[in-house]
């Protein structure tokens, strides 16, 4: 980035209302930029009018927080939100001459934001290919499969000529460069062990009681989606081999919003060894 210390405006449609994986990725990155590089991050959070407000943490975000609520339907409320979004970004760019706008969320690729290419940074959390990896019979997955070509084209156009891209893997860095972005910053999803607070024994006991897992059973836990690139099927197969050699009782806990797709993934494994939890 420029020699002058820049300021970032994060414009996002991602879920910042709950401590999800994407919240942690964005929040931890913002905290590192602020503490180690003195780069503050303002947040412009687009959220549906039914969702809760942003999950605040003063150590991660700057004091300049904006929230624009919108409707999921194409109606005057959505159009008004888009106009307000464009005006807010323009005003911020005027006030912050050395600032950059980070867009995070594929919906923003299609919005007329008016951001100069030299001041645009695209945040890539993962590949849109997962849109075509879902259950072909589920209505939501059919919609995503249909929308994938348009979303993929919009993403490539957003990256072309942009100032930079934030990525979480080497594969995404290669993809961003191939799309014509000028700079790529790879920031893996992870934390130093020393920076992770220990979970209390009481909290673990509460989860064991909630999921009916005995105290003498070792729990292997996966939390996330079920896209092919996340290799959940391979993890389940590995657990099956581990369980055969494990001295004692063990249980695989899968916490996912896609519990309906689990049956095909865990097929062939003793059902009593799997605990599914919808999150």
């Amino acid at each position: 980035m420029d020699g002058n210390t820049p300021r970032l405006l994060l414009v996002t449609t991602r879920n910042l209302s709950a401590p999800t994986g994407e919240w942690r990725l964005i929040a931890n990155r913002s905290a590192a930029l602020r503490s180690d590089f003195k780069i503050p991050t303002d947040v412009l959070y687009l959220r549906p009018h039914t969702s809760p407000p942003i999950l605040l943490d003063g150590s991660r975000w700057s004091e300049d927080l904006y929230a624009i609520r919108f409707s999921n339907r194409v109606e005057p409320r959505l159009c008004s939100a888009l106009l307000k979004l464009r005006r807010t970004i323009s005003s911020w760019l005027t006030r912050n001459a050395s600032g950059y706008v980070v867009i995070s969320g594929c919906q923003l690729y299609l919005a007329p934001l008016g951001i100069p290419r030299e001041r645009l940074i695209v945040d890539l959390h993962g590949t849109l290919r997962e849109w075509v990896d879902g259950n072909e019979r589920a209505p939501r997955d059919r919609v995503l499969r249909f929308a994938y070509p348009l979303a993929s084209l919009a993403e490539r156009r957003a990256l072309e000529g942009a100032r930079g891209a934030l990525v979480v893997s080497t594969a995404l860095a290669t993809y961003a460069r191939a799309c014509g972005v000028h700079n790529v910053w790879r920031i893996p999803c992870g934390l130093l062990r020393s920076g992770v607070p220990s979970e209390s024994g009481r909290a673990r006991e509460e989860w064991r009681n909630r999921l009916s897992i005995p105290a003498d059973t070792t729990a292997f836990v996966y939390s996330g989606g079920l896209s092919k690139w996340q290799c959940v099927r391979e993890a389940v197969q590995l657990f099956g081999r581990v369980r055969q050699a494990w001295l004692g009782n063990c249980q695989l806990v899968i916490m996912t919003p896609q519990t309906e797709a689990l049956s095909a993934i865990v097929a062939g494994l003793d059902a009593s060894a799997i605990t599914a939890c919808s999150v």
Side-chain angles (χ1 to χ4, degrees), residues 37-50:
F37 301 97
K38 311 305 178 188
I39 300 176
T41 300
D42 299 331
V43 180
L44 179 49
Y45 179 31
L46 278 77
R47 60 188 179 95
H49 66 281
T50 55

Side-chain angles (χ1 to χ4, degrees), residues 106-174:
C106 60
Q107 300 93 328
L108 296 170
Y109 300 151
L110 299 173
L113 302 179
I115 305 170
R117 308 298 293 177
E118 66 274 10
R119 301 182 69 179
L120 173 66
I121 298 173
V122 181
D123 182 21
L124 298 176
H125 282 205
T127 172
L128 292 178
R129 283 290 305 173
E130 66 183 48
W131 287 21
V132 298
D133 289 340
N135 179 359
E136 295 184 9
R137 293 186 296 274
R140 177 179 179 273
D141 290 334
R142 286 203 299 267
V143 171
L144 289 177
R145 184 179 292 271
F146 177 79
Y148 169 75
L150 176 60
S152 179
L153 175 62
E155 181 177 76
R156 292 195 300 272
R157 288 189 172 178
L159 287 165
E160 185 179 1
R163 173 74 179 187
L166 297 171
V167 301
V168 297
S169 68
T170 301
L172 280 175
T174 302

Side-chain angles (χ1 to χ4, degrees), residues 204 208 211-221 239 243 246-253 272-275:
R204 290 195 296 272
R208 282 184 176 273
L211 300 176
S212 301
I213 300 175
D216 62 349
T217 297
T218 301
F220 295 83
V221 182
F239 171 76
R243 184 168 178 259
W246 197 259
L247 300 177
N249 299 321
C250 60
Q251 189 89 4
L252 176 61
V253 179
S272 64
I274 301 288
T275 296

Side-chain angles (χ1 to χ4, degrees), residues 258-279:
Q258 300 168 283
T259 53
E260 74 284 348
L262 269 179
S263 56
I265 294 177
V266 301
L269 197 63
D270 183 357
S272 64
I274 301 288
T275 296
C277 180
S278 178
V279 294

Side-chain angles (χ1 to χ4, degrees), residues 19-22 24 130 221-232 253-262 265 276-279:
T20 60
E22 56 189 4
R24 291 188 178 92
E130 66 183 48
V221 182
Y222 169 76
S223 177
L226 302 179
S227 298
K228 290 181 181 178
W229 66 270
Q230 291 168 302
C231 300
V232 180
V253 179
I254 300 179
M255 310 179 81
T256 179
Q258 300 168 283
T259 53
E260 74 284 348
L262 269 179
I265 294 177
C277 180
S278 178
V279 294

Side-chain angles (χ1 to χ4, degrees), residues 86 89-90 92-94 96-97 99-103 112-122 158 160-164 182:
R86 186 181 177 105
I89 292 174
S90 177
W92 187 93
L93 287 170
T94 300
N96 297 275
Y100 298 90
V101 178
V102 181
I103 61 172
L113 302 179
I115 305 170
R117 308 298 293 177
E118 66 274 10
R119 301 182 69 179
L120 173 66
I121 298 173
V122 181
E160 185 179 1
R163 173 74 179 187
H182 290 300

